[in-house]
């Protein structure tokens, strides 16, 4: 069997204290790698602390170390530059991506590559599958932060059933599979890159994704480079990544629901104040007005990918939507009564809680019953 070649890509920004021991540690692990000769590429963004110079020096002694320097434009941009550099040289059969701060122990490199050889295209070093771990000393806030980011990414990307650690930066990729992915299309410069790449692999049904457990460790020296801008970009990218995701449809549905509340209150006020209609009749008209406006907005906005909207179908749908709204209101009222009367919650709290099951019911009924022809 001929020896394959892998390129380990390590992005760095101000990792002067970590990079030399890390590179030496990787080199020390390489004897455990079977079937691959391994090169290492450090993608440094002219780090002011001299990370690049340290790598350059090491590269003189170790022929498999290379340095790629560039302007600072975020983690995702650095990865794309590194991957492009690797793809331009036909010798690489696989890429490994990892952080420079010892959070990703080099000891997993052999297993990541072995798993590729089992026929997988994309192998993630995962903290969130059995056997994986995060450091013991993480605060609740840090754990929550990581889990929420992960959950957000998985649900909005619609990859929750394939991938449990969507934000992990430790992975191995088969080059021939990466060549089928349009890196230009990822359009992310920051930390969301990991999710965007995983999503892109997951969108190709032929490509096989898997995870191996890793124990994620605290960075050895220096500080994380994540900033507020990265968080904002992350949330925005998570939301826009997959327009078809049901999580995104649900957000649109909730936005419409809130607009319905405004329509309801507005109609009631106008009818009672300016048309002097009794509040009871006004309330009934206001409810139907908001049901109608919710219906129209859901039709053109929330479920806009639906097919077939002949007038007859629309009227049929509207009657279904009315039936659904009535049922939703009944559920809400039943739950409210239980919480208020039997459990004795304060009435506003009881009502606020009672809205939750009815929104869930309404969403479920809308997407499977009223607008079921979506594609
Ligand atoms: N070239 C370059 N340019 N490298 C960068 C940049 C940049 O703009 N920003 C960060 N890096 C490098 C860091 O030097 C480090 O080697 C690696 O990217 C990860 O950066 P950290 O700042 O250590 O990120 P983190 O520990 O907060 O986040 C890690 O874990 C997350 C999941 O919890 C990363 O692996 C993320 O990708 C991952 O989502
Ligand atoms: Mn880190």
């Amino acid at each position: 069997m001929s020896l394959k070649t892998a390129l380990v890509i390590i992005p760095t920004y101000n990792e002067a204290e970590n990079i030399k021991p890390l590179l030496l540690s990787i080199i020390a692990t390489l004897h455990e790698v079977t079937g691959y000769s391994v090169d290492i590429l450090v993608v440094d963004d002219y780090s002011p602390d001299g990370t690049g110079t340290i790598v350059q020096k090491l590269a003189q002694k170790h022929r498999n170390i290379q340095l790629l320097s560039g302007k600072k434009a975020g983690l995702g941009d650095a990865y794309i530059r590194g991957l492009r550099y690797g793809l331009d040289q036909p010798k690489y059969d696989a890429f490994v991506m990892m952080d420079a701060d010892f959070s990703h122990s080099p000891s997993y490199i052999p297993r990541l590559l072995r798993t590729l050889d089992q026929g997988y295209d994309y192998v993630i070093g995962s903290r969130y599958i059995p056997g994986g771990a995060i450091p013991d000393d993480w605060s609740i806030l840090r754990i929550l932060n990581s889990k929420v980011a992960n959950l957000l990414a998985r649900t909005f990307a619609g990859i929750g059933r394939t991938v449990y650690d969507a934000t992990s930066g430790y992975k191995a990729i088969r080059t021939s599979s990466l060549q089928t992915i349009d890196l230009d299309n990822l359009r992310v410069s920051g930390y969301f890159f990991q999710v965007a790449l995983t999503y892109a692999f997951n969108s190709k049904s032929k490509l096989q994704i898997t995870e191996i457990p890793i124990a994620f460790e605290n960075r050895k020296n220096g500080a994380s480079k994540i900033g507020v801008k990265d968080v904002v970009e992350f949330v925005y990218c998570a939301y826009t990544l997959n327009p078809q995701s049901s999580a995104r449809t649900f957000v649109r549905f909730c936005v419409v629901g809130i607009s319905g509340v405004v329509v309801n209150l507005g109609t009631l006020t106008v009818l009672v104040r300016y048309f002097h209609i009794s509040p009871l009749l006004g309330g009934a008209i206001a409810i139907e007005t908001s049901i109608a406006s919710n219906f129209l907005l859901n039709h053109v906005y929330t479920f806009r990918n639906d097919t077939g909207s002949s007038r007859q179908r629309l009227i049929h749908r509207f009657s279904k939507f009315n039936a659904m709204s009535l049922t939703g209101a009944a559920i809400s009222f039943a739950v409210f009564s239980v919480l208020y009367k039997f459990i004795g919650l304060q009435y506003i709290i009881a009502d606020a809680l009672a809205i939750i099951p009815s929104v869930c019911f309404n969403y479920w009924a809308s997407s499977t019953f009223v607008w079921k022809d979506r594609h």
Side-chain angles (χ1 to χ4, degrees), residues 124-351:
I124 302 171
S126 174
R127 299 161 291 179
Y128 299 128
I129 57 169
I134 49 173
D136 293 334
D137 61 356
W138 273 19
S139 65
I140 301 276
L141 205 71
R142 176 112 199 246
I143 297 174
L144 212 68
N145 195 22
S146 171
K147 297 240 170 166
V148 167
N150 221 336
L151 191 73
L152 212 71
R154 289 168 63 219
T155 46
F156 280 96
I159 54 175
R161 266 175 248 166
T162 354
V163 173
Y164 291 89
D165 193 344
T167 54
S168 171
Y170 203 4
K171 54 193 67 163
I173 305 172
R174 181 189 300 279
T175 305
S176 56
S177 315
L178 182 67
Q179 277 160 341
T180 68
I181 304 264
D182 181 7
L183 290 175
D184 282 325
N185 226 344
L186 298 182
R187 274 173 287 149
V188 278
S189 56
Y191 283 76
F192 195 74
F193 170 77
Q194 310 292 359
V195 184
L197 191 63
T198 304
Y199 174 72
F201 267 80
N202 190 63
S203 315
K204 308 238 168 189
S205 54
K206 281 203 189 105
L207 302 184
Q208 299 294 320
I209 302 178
T210 193
E211 289 174 285
I212 63 159
I214 62 154
F216 187 92
E217 284 159 45
N218 285 321
R219 74 158 40 238
K220 255 213 176 106
N221 300 293
S224 166
K225 278 84 204 173
I226 287 188
V228 177
K229 190 173 156 258
D230 298 296
V231 177
V232 173
E233 189 207 44
F234 192 95
V235 173
Y236 175 76
C237 287
Y239 184 71
T240 51
L241 183 65
N242 178 4
Q244 313 290 349
S245 84
S246 34
R248 194 166 159 183
T249 310
F250 182 68
V251 171
R252 288 200 294 263
F253 187 78
C254 290
V255 169
V256 170
I258 292 167
S259 83
V261 175
V262 177
V263 169
N264 189 323
L265 294 175
T267 311
L268 180 64
T269 312
V270 169
L271 288 179
V272 173
R273 265 219 202 141
Y274 301 104
F275 291 89
H276 310 291
I277 287 173
S278 83
L280 215 57
L281 179 62
I285 297 175
I287 286 176
E288 192 49 38
T289 310
S290 63
I291 289 177
S293 81
N294 279 358
F295 175 76
L296 287 175
L297 289 174
N298 279 326
H299 191 71
V300 299
Y301 172 63
T302 314
F303 300 106
R304 58 192 162 206
N305 299 317
D306 201 324
T307 52
S309 20
S310 70
R311 187 180 300 169
Q312 221 172 4
R313 290 282 305 275
L314 212 61
I315 292 170
H316 186 58
R317 274 199 181 141
F318 184 51
S319 50
K320 278 181 174 180
F321 190 78
N322 267 287
M324 176 210 86
S325 301
L326 215 67
T327 316
I331 290 174
S332 175
F333 184 71
V335 174
F336 170 77
S337 312
V338 170
L339 292 178
Y340 174 64
K341 257 242 145 60
F342 298 104
I343 303 190
L345 291 184
Q346 198 252 346
Y347 72 99
I348 301 265
I349 295 175
D351 198 36

Side-chain angles (χ1 to χ4, degrees), residues 253 303 321 324 362-372:
F253 187 78
F303 300 106
F321 190 78
M324 176 210 86
N362 283 348
Y363 179 69
W364 170 80
S366 292
S367 55
T368 60
F369 176 62
V370 183
W371 282 279
K372 65 170 177 234

Side-chain angles (χ1 to χ4, degrees), residues 2-21:
S2 70
L3 201 62
K4 289 184 273 197
T5 311
L7 181 67
V8 175
I9 302 178
I10 308 171
T12 56
Y13 193 72
N14 287 344
E15 302 286 1
E17 288 171 290
N18 294 317
I19 195 63
K20 183 173 177 183

